Amino acid sequence: MALDAVGNRQIASRTRTTSSLADRSTEVEEAIVQASAIAQGALAQAPARDGWQVSSMEVTFGLTLAAEAGVILSKASAEASFEVTLTVERTSGTP
């Protein structure tokens, strides 16, 4: 049985293999670059149709890093999410 600094019992070990956010900065940066490339590539492939075209796109990119109780960040997993808002307008010369 492990005890903390004031003599209370600890259920689990306080030593865990974890990393700080700074240690994962390369992963976060790579995820942002990839998300940007995906969004830009998708917009480039959106053709005008029936007199309408995408005039702007707003992308919200979320990255969730898994955390465990008592630690900053776990190396176990990360997940990403996208929220995309498109603005579609009539092309010039279309009635």
Side-chain angles (χ1 to χ4, degrees):
M1 169 177 52
L3 300 177
D4 67 9
V6 292
N8 295 322
R9 291 187 305 172
Q10 294 293 310
I11 294 173
S13 172
R14 299 191 84 172
T15 306
R16 294 188 176 137
T17 305
T18 61
S19 60
S20 70
L21 183 56
D23 293 341
R24 295 190 69 182
S25 65
T26 300
E27 287 177 74
V28 172
E29 290 168 0
E30 288 173 358
I32 292 169
V33 168
Q34 289 176 5
S36 177
I38 290 167
Q40 290 175 28
L43 184 58
Q45 294 180 48
R49 290 193 178 145
D50 300 323
W52 294 90
Q53 70 180 11
V54 176
S55 62
S56 68
M57 177 173 66
E58 179 182 320
V59 178
T60 302
F61 170 68
L63 180 64
T64 303
L65 301 172
E68 297 176 18
V71 298
I72 298 173
L73 293 173
S74 167
K75 286 189 172 187
S77 66
E79 61 183 54
S81 63
F82 288 92
E83 180 179 318
V84 179
T85 303
L86 300 175
T87 302
V88 180
E89 296 179 350
R90 283 249 187 225
T91 57
S92 60
T94 304

